Structures are given as structure tokens and as C-alpha cells.
Amino acid sequence: MMRIKVIALLLFLFLAACSSVKIVPRPMTPGATVNPADQSIAISHSGLIVTARVQDTAVGGYDIKTPIAAFYLVIRNGSGSSVDIPLDAFTLLDSDGNSLSPIPPEEVNAILNPRFSAFLPFPYVGYYDIVDLEQHRASTEMASDRPYVGEGLPAAARLLPLRTGPLGHREEASGMLYFNIEIIDESSVELKTAIQSREGRKLSFSHPFSIEK
């Protein structure tokens, strides 16, 4: 009984420590805007607006062997011309200045669901458990006003990885970026973006966040 109480106490302290972690935007770029509602940073540069926030400090939970953190981005192109947004346009700097590259969505699927990654509805990496997905589909089919068609999750689009590739004038791309990092062990992180226009101009963005415990 004493052993159970000790384990319960340790679990409580662990959860309390995790819940006390705060992600605080620390924009350094002049004119950057912080949205206190979702703690995102919006930066405008030459008509291109990049908004970023820390979406999930532990994608799939803390028991995943490979730690994964997720950032949610919205990129609006008002630059007057199309731009290219490859996956390698993004890097994440940790507290020690180490540079991390994004994890491709298919690799995130393989890490979170090694047995089912080939069958998951790519690129929905947000459905961490295929059983939960099936239960959700079964329940929504019966709850829908339309016969045999489920309404689905209203915020399902937020589970999509960021669309990469060309982005035309007045177009918008949004979605998740994934990095192999244990954010709660860091004191700060900085998401850096380098987008190149079709004319060869490189537009750089910096979204720094501090991790307060």
C-alpha cells in the first residue's frame, strides 16, 4: 500500500510539473504581433505574413520513445508574386543553439503508429490511435443529420501538416510542423523560416518562445 501511495505521489508531482510549463512568445522582430488568445507570433515581411505558435509539446504523449513537438503555422502570401515553401525552409533552434530540421509527416506517422502507419489517412498525423479513429467514425455516422455521412471533427484541418511547395499570390497555407525535441526540457526555442520568392529574394522570419517552468 505504501508503495502505491509513493507512486501516486510521484505521478502527481510529475503531472503538476508538466502542467506548470508555460510557452511564452518573445518576439524580437520590430512590428511582430503577439496574439494572447493562442500565444502566437505574427510577423509581416514584404507582404508575406507568417504566424506561428507552439501547438503541442508532446505529440502522442510523453511515453513516445521519440519526443515530438508540433508548431502550428499560417502563411499568407500578399507579396505580389508566388513563393516557394519547401520543408527545409524551416529550422528550430534549441536552448543550446542546435539546429533541428522538421520531421516529414510520414515519419511522424511511422513513429506514432509503427504498426498502422501505412494505413493511416495520410497526412492526418493527428489521429494517434487508429482505434480512436474508428470509434469516432462510427459514432459520427449515426449522429449526422445527413444519412450515412459523419460530420467529422470541426477542427480536423488543424491536424494537417503544413502544405509545402509553391504558394501563389493571395494564397494561404496552414498546418503543423513537427520536430524531434523535448520542449519541456528547454529554456527557449526559436523557429526560423527562410522563404524564397520566384525572383530570388529570401524573406527571413524568426519566432522565438521561452519555456517557463
Side-chain angles (χ1 to χ4, degrees), residues 28-61:
M28 299 178 292
T29 305
T33 303
V34 173
N35 182 351
D38 61 4
Q39 296 295 289
S40 63
I41 305 173
I43 300 174
S44 179
H45 185 3
S46 301
L48 200 68
I49 302 175
V50 179
T51 303
R53 71 170 183 265
V54 178
Q55 176 71 21
D56 195 341
T57 59
V59 176

mmCIF file of all heavy atoms in Angstrom, residues 28-61:
data_model
loop_
_atom_site.group_PDB
_atom_site.id
_atom_site.type_symbol
_atom_site.label_atom_id
_atom_site.label_comp_id
_atom_site.label_asym_id
_atom_site.label_seq_id
_atom_site.Cartn_x
_atom_site.Cartn_y
_atom_site.Cartn_z
ATOM 1 N N MET A 28 11.306 39.294 -31.257
ATOM 2 C CA MET A 28 12.389 40.265 -31.314
ATOM 3 C C MET A 28 12.286 41.146 -32.552
ATOM 4 O O MET A 28 12.921 42.181 -32.640
ATOM 5 C CB MET A 28 13.738 39.546 -31.297
ATOM 6 C CG MET A 28 13.980 38.726 -30.033
ATOM 7 S SD MET A 28 15.562 37.840 -30.074
ATOM 8 C CE MET A 28 15.236 36.648 -31.390
ATOM 9 N N THR A 29 11.487 40.713 -33.528
ATOM 10 C CA THR A 29 11.342 41.461 -34.772
ATOM 11 C C THR A 29 10.454 42.675 -34.564
ATOM 12 O O THR A 29 9.335 42.537 -34.055
ATOM 13 C CB THR A 29 10.745 40.564 -35.867
ATOM 14 O OG1 THR A 29 11.548 39.393 -36.012
ATOM 15 C CG2 THR A 29 10.665 41.304 -37.194
ATOM 16 N N PRO A 30 10.906 43.871 -34.953
ATOM 17 C CA PRO A 30 10.047 45.070 -34.830
ATOM 18 C C PRO A 30 8.758 44.897 -35.634
ATOM 19 O O PRO A 30 8.776 44.435 -36.777
ATOM 20 C CB PRO A 30 10.919 46.182 -35.420
ATOM 21 C CG PRO A 30 12.319 45.694 -35.273
ATOM 22 C CD PRO A 30 12.255 44.206 -35.445
ATOM 23 N N GLY A 31 7.631 45.228 -35.020
ATOM 24 C CA GLY A 31 6.346 45.103 -35.700
ATOM 25 C C GLY A 31 5.687 43.749 -35.547
ATOM 26 O O GLY A 31 4.547 43.569 -35.992
ATOM 27 N N ALA A 32 6.376 42.791 -34.920
ATOM 28 C CA ALA A 32 5.765 41.482 -34.685
ATOM 29 C C ALA A 32 4.607 41.621 -33.706
ATOM 30 O O ALA A 32 4.649 42.430 -32.779
ATOM 31 C CB ALA A 32 6.799 40.504 -34.149
ATOM 32 N N THR A 33 3.562 40.817 -33.911
ATOM 33 C CA THR A 33 2.353 40.899 -33.101
ATOM 34 C C THR A 33 2.128 39.595 -32.358
ATOM 35 O O THR A 33 2.175 38.518 -32.963
ATOM 36 C CB THR A 33 1.123 41.210 -33.972
ATOM 37 O OG1 THR A 33 1.347 42.420 -34.695
ATOM 38 C CG2 THR A 33 -0.121 41.367 -33.116
ATOM 39 N N VAL A 34 1.855 39.697 -31.064
ATOM 40 C CA VAL A 34 1.538 38.524 -30.254
ATOM 41 C C VAL A 34 0.037 38.476 -30.012
ATOM 42 O O VAL A 34 -0.569 39.468 -29.591
ATOM 43 C CB VAL A 34 2.281 38.554 -28.906
ATOM 44 C CG1 VAL A 34 1.806 37.417 -28.000
ATOM 45 C CG2 VAL A 34 3.778 38.470 -29.116
ATOM 46 N N ASN A 35 -0.564 37.326 -30.296
ATOM 47 C CA ASN A 35 -1.980 37.114 -30.003
ATOM 48 C C ASN A 35 -2.079 36.412 -28.649
ATOM 49 O O ASN A 35 -1.740 35.234 -28.540
ATOM 50 C CB ASN A 35 -2.620 36.256 -31.091
ATOM 51 C CG ASN A 35 -4.108 36.043 -30.864
ATOM 52 O OD1 ASN A 35 -4.646 36.387 -29.816
ATOM 53 N ND2 ASN A 35 -4.787 35.465 -31.837
ATOM 54 N N PRO A 36 -2.539 37.110 -27.604
ATOM 55 C CA PRO A 36 -2.583 36.480 -26.272
ATOM 56 C C PRO A 36 -3.567 35.327 -26.180
ATOM 57 O O PRO A 36 -3.452 34.489 -25.283
ATOM 58 C CB PRO A 36 -2.996 37.641 -25.353
ATOM 59 C CG PRO A 36 -3.672 38.628 -26.246
ATOM 60 C CD PRO A 36 -3.017 38.504 -27.583
ATOM 61 N N ALA A 37 -4.513 35.240 -27.095
ATOM 62 C CA ALA A 37 -5.510 34.168 -27.042
ATOM 63 C C ALA A 37 -4.884 32.803 -27.301
ATOM 64 O O ALA A 37 -5.242 31.815 -26.658
ATOM 65 C CB ALA A 37 -6.628 34.431 -28.048
ATOM 66 N N ASP A 38 -3.957 32.738 -28.260
ATOM 67 C CA ASP A 38 -3.327 31.447 -28.568
ATOM 68 C C ASP A 38 -1.807 31.493 -28.447
ATOM 69 O O ASP A 38 -1.123 30.530 -28.802
ATOM 70 C CB ASP A 38 -3.721 30.965 -29.967
ATOM 71 C CG ASP A 38 -3.277 31.926 -31.067
ATOM 72 O OD1 ASP A 38 -2.595 32.937 -30.770
ATOM 73 O OD2 ASP A 38 -3.604 31.665 -32.243
ATOM 74 N N GLN A 39 -1.272 32.628 -27.958
ATOM 75 C CA GLN A 39 0.170 32.781 -27.747
ATOM 76 C C GLN A 39 0.968 32.589 -29.042
ATOM 77 O O GLN A 39 2.055 32.015 -29.033
ATOM 78 C CB GLN A 39 0.665 31.803 -26.676
ATOM 79 C CG GLN A 39 0.071 32.051 -25.294
ATOM 80 C CD GLN A 39 0.498 33.407 -24.722
ATOM 81 O OE1 GLN A 39 1.638 33.593 -24.353
ATOM 82 N NE2 GLN A 39 -0.424 34.345 -24.657
ATOM 83 N N SER A 40 0.424 33.094 -30.131
ATOM 84 C CA SER A 40 1.120 33.012 -31.416
ATOM 85 C C SER A 40 1.817 34.330 -31.720
ATOM 86 O O SER A 40 1.490 35.376 -31.155
ATOM 87 C CB SER A 40 0.134 32.684 -32.540
ATOM 88 O OG SER A 40 -0.820 33.726 -32.688
ATOM 89 N N ILE A 41 2.790 34.262 -32.618
ATOM 90 C CA ILE A 41 3.522 35.438 -33.081
ATOM 91 C C ILE A 41 3.277 35.596 -34.568
ATOM 92 O O ILE A 41 3.477 34.655 -35.338
ATOM 93 C CB ILE A 41 5.033 35.303 -32.833
ATOM 94 C CG1 ILE A 41 5.333 35.008 -31.356
ATOM 95 C CG2 ILE A 41 5.760 36.574 -33.273
ATOM 96 C CD1 ILE A 41 6.804 34.698 -31.093
ATOM 97 N N ALA A 42 2.830 36.778 -34.993
ATOM 98 C CA ALA A 42 2.618 37.072 -36.408
ATOM 99 C C ALA A 42 3.666 38.090 -36.851
ATOM 100 O O ALA A 42 3.849 39.128 -36.211
ATOM 101 C CB ALA A 42 1.220 37.618 -36.655
ATOM 102 N N ILE A 43 4.351 37.774 -37.960
ATOM 103 C CA ILE A 43 5.387 38.655 -38.485
ATOM 104 C C ILE A 43 5.100 38.915 -39.956
ATOM 105 O O ILE A 43 4.861 37.977 -40.736
ATOM 106 C CB ILE A 43 6.788 38.031 -38.330
ATOM 107 C CG1 ILE A 43 7.082 37.762 -36.843
ATOM 108 C CG2 ILE A 43 7.858 38.936 -38.925
ATOM 109 C CD1 ILE A 43 8.377 37.013 -36.611
ATOM 110 N N SER A 44 5.126 40.183 -40.345
ATOM 111 C CA SER A 44 4.897 40.589 -41.731
ATOM 112 C C SER A 44 6.204 41.076 -42.347
ATOM 113 O O SER A 44 6.928 41.862 -41.731
ATOM 114 C CB SER A 44 3.837 41.693 -41.797
ATOM 115 O OG SER A 44 3.620 42.102 -43.135
ATOM 116 N N HIS A 45 6.489 40.580 -43.547
ATOM 117 C CA HIS A 45 7.721 40.969 -44.234
ATOM 118 C C HIS A 45 7.449 40.984 -45.738
ATOM 119 O O HIS A 45 7.177 39.953 -46.348
ATOM 120 C CB HIS A 45 8.837 39.974 -43.910
ATOM 121 C CG HIS A 45 10.182 40.336 -44.464
ATOM 122 N ND1 HIS A 45 10.434 41.491 -45.166
ATOM 123 C CD2 HIS A 45 11.381 39.676 -44.399
ATOM 124 C CE1 HIS A 45 11.694 41.529 -45.525
ATOM 125 N NE2 HIS A 45 12.297 40.436 -45.062
ATOM 126 N N SER A 46 7.491 42.181 -46.322
ATOM 127 C CA SER A 46 7.318 42.348 -47.769
ATOM 128 C C SER A 46 6.016 41.727 -48.277
ATOM 129 O O SER A 46 5.999 41.106 -49.347
ATOM 130 C CB SER A 46 8.520 41.763 -48.529
ATOM 131 O OG SER A 46 9.712 42.402 -48.133
ATOM 132 N N GLY A 47 4.942 41.865 -47.507
ATOM 133 C CA GLY A 47 3.640 41.342 -47.915
ATOM 134 C C GLY A 47 3.396 39.899 -47.529
ATOM 135 O O GLY A 47 2.293 39.381 -47.708
ATOM 136 N N LEU A 48 4.392 39.247 -46.988
ATOM 137 C CA LEU A 48 4.244 37.854 -46.552
ATOM 138 C C LEU A 48 4.073 37.838 -45.037
ATOM 139 O O LEU A 48 4.873 38.431 -44.310
ATOM 140 C CB LEU A 48 5.472 37.041 -46.956
ATOM 141 C CG LEU A 48 5.335 35.528 -47.018
ATOM 142 C CD1 LEU A 48 4.405 35.118 -48.152
ATOM 143 C CD2 LEU A 48 6.707 34.882 -47.205
ATOM 144 N N ILE A 49 3.012 37.186 -44.562
ATOM 145 C CA ILE A 49 2.738 37.127 -43.131
ATOM 146 C C ILE A 49 2.870 35.680 -42.661
ATOM 147 O O ILE A 49 2.201 34.786 -43.176
ATOM 148 C CB ILE A 49 1.327 37.655 -42.802
ATOM 149 C CG1 ILE A 49 1.159 39.091 -43.295
ATOM 150 C CG2 ILE A 49 1.073 37.581 -41.295
ATOM 151 C CD1 ILE A 49 -0.244 39.628 -43.118
ATOM 152 N N VAL A 50 3.740 35.464 -41.682
ATOM 153 C CA VAL A 50 3.938 34.134 -41.105
ATOM 154 C C VAL A 50 3.550 34.195 -39.635
ATOM 155 O O VAL A 50 4.108 34.978 -38.861
ATOM 156 C CB VAL A 50 5.396 33.656 -41.248
ATOM 157 C CG1 VAL A 50 5.563 32.278 -40.612
ATOM 158 C CG2 VAL A 50 5.805 33.617 -42.715
ATOM 159 N N THR A 51 2.574 33.379 -39.259
ATOM 160 C CA THR A 51 2.111 33.299 -37.872
ATOM 161 C C THR A 51 2.439 31.908 -37.336
ATOM 162 O O THR A 51 2.183 30.905 -38.006
ATOM 163 C CB THR A 51 0.592 33.546 -37.783
ATOM 164 O OG1 THR A 51 0.287 34.810 -38.364
ATOM 165 C CG2 THR A 51 0.119 33.538 -36.347
ATOM 166 N N ALA A 52 3.027 31.851 -36.141
ATOM 167 C CA ALA A 52 3.435 30.560 -35.581
ATOM 168 C C ALA A 52 3.163 30.520 -34.089
ATOM 169 O O ALA A 52 3.223 31.539 -33.394
ATOM 170 C CB ALA A 52 4.918 30.310 -35.848
ATOM 171 N N ARG A 53 2.873 29.322 -33.612
ATOM 172 C CA ARG A 53 2.719 29.081 -32.180
ATOM 173 C C ARG A 53 3.136 27.652 -31.882
ATOM 174 O O ARG A 53 3.174 26.792 -32.776
ATOM 175 C CB ARG A 53 1.284 29.307 -31.723
ATOM 176 C CG ARG A 53 0.288 28.250 -32.200
ATOM 177 C CD ARG A 53 -1.067 28.407 -31.513
ATOM 178 N NE ARG A 53 -1.999 27.372 -31.892
ATOM 179 C CZ ARG A 53 -2.907 27.490 -32.855
ATOM 180 N NH1 ARG A 53 -2.976 28.600 -33.573
ATOM 181 N NH2 ARG A 53 -3.736 26.494 -33.124
ATOM 182 N N VAL A 54 3.452 27.386 -30.620
ATOM 183 C CA VAL A 54 3.710 26.018 -30.181
ATOM 184 C C VAL A 54 2.362 25.345 -29.981
ATOM 185 O O VAL A 54 1.566 25.765 -29.147
ATOM 186 C CB VAL A 54 4.526 25.986 -28.875
ATOM 187 C CG1 VAL A 54 4.724 24.541 -28.421
ATOM 188 C CG2 VAL A 54 5.882 26.670 -29.074
ATOM 189 N N GLN A 55 2.097 24.297 -30.748
ATOM 190 C CA GLN A 55 0.801 23.630 -30.712
ATOM 191 C C GLN A 55 0.769 22.498 -29.697
ATOM 192 O O GLN A 55 -0.208 22.317 -28.980
ATOM 193 C CB GLN A 55 0.456 23.089 -32.100
ATOM 194 C CG GLN A 55 -0.835 22.290 -32.184
ATOM 195 C CD GLN A 55 -2.064 23.169 -32.033
ATOM 196 O OE1 GLN A 55 -1.998 24.379 -32.245
ATOM 197 N NE2 GLN A 55 -3.186 22.582 -31.657
ATOM 198 N N ASP A 56 1.832 21.699 -29.641
ATOM 199 C CA ASP A 56 1.842 20.525 -28.783
ATOM 200 C C ASP A 56 3.281 20.257 -28.341
ATOM 201 O O ASP A 56 4.169 20.115 -29.174
ATOM 202 C CB ASP A 56 1.285 19.317 -29.539
ATOM 203 C CG ASP A 56 0.926 18.153 -28.621
ATOM 204 O OD1 ASP A 56 1.426 18.123 -27.484
ATOM 205 O OD2 ASP A 56 0.159 17.275 -29.042
ATOM 206 N N THR A 57 3.508 20.204 -27.028
ATOM 207 C CA THR A 57 4.856 19.946 -26.527
ATOM 208 C C THR A 57 5.217 18.467 -26.548
ATOM 209 O O THR A 57 6.398 18.119 -26.457
ATOM 210 C CB THR A 57 5.014 20.473 -25.088
ATOM 211 O OG1 THR A 57 4.049 19.824 -24.251
ATOM 212 C CG2 THR A 57 4.798 21.985 -25.044
ATOM 213 N N ALA A 58 4.232 17.597 -26.663
ATOM 214 C CA ALA A 58 4.493 16.157 -26.679
ATOM 215 C C ALA A 58 3.454 15.467 -27.548
ATOM 216 O O ALA A 58 2.442 14.976 -27.039
ATOM 217 C CB ALA A 58 4.494 15.585 -25.271
ATOM 218 N N VAL A 59 3.688 15.448 -28.839
ATOM 219 C CA VAL A 59 2.749 14.817 -29.767
ATOM 220 C C VAL A 59 2.689 13.309 -29.485
ATOM 221 O O VAL A 59 3.708 12.637 -29.469
ATOM 222 C CB VAL A 59 3.178 15.059 -31.228
ATOM 223 C CG1 VAL A 59 2.244 14.309 -32.193
ATOM 224 C CG2 VAL A 59 3.188 16.543 -31.543
ATOM 225 N N GLY A 60 1.483 12.817 -29.248
ATOM 226 C CA GLY A 60 1.315 11.398 -28.958
ATOM 227 C C GLY A 60 1.521 11.034 -27.507
ATOM 228 O O GLY A 60 1.381 9.878 -27.131
ATOM 229 N N GLY A 61 1.869 12.021 -26.666
ATOM 230 C CA GLY A 61 2.068 11.748 -25.242
ATOM 231 C C GLY A 61 3.542 11.644 -24.880
ATOM 232 O O GLY A 61 4.416 11.569 -25.742
#
